[in-house]
Amino acid sequence: METVVELKALDLVVDYHLTKDDGDRDTPPHTEVEVYNVYYQGVDVTQLLENLGCIGMIEEEVLNQIS
């Protein structure tokens, strides 16, 4: 499921893909977010955030907001 979320505290708009896995006998259920694009005041800053190693933080913020 592809969607967009606005992280107001960070002033970011994030395009992401959400994957939900119900799990099975061997694996617990989990939800995963893959960020495609991050915009700050209309400017795509995805590559900058990837270079700084911050995409994981953005993914966590998205999961926190949609949970």
Side-chain angles (χ1 to χ4, degrees), residues 20-59:
K20 290 187 177 188
D21 184 346
D22 293 333
D24 57 23
R25 288 185 330 161
D26 300 322
T27 358
H30 69 280
T31 302
E32 185 176 310
V33 168
E34 182 179 351
V35 170
Y36 289 114
N37 296 304
V38 181
Y39 299 95
Y40 175 73
Q41 296 181 352
V43 177
D44 187 345
V45 294
T46 310
Q47 189 64 48
L48 173 65
L49 292 173
E50 285 176 354
N51 291 344
L52 294 173
C54 297
I55 291 295
M57 180 195 76
I58 302 299
E59 291 172 343

Side-chain angles (χ1 to χ4, degrees), residues 5 9 12 15 18 25 28 33 43-44 62 67:
V5 67
L12 299 174
D15 294 331
L18 179 67
R25 288 185 330 161
V33 168
V43 177
D44 187 345
V62 169
S67 297

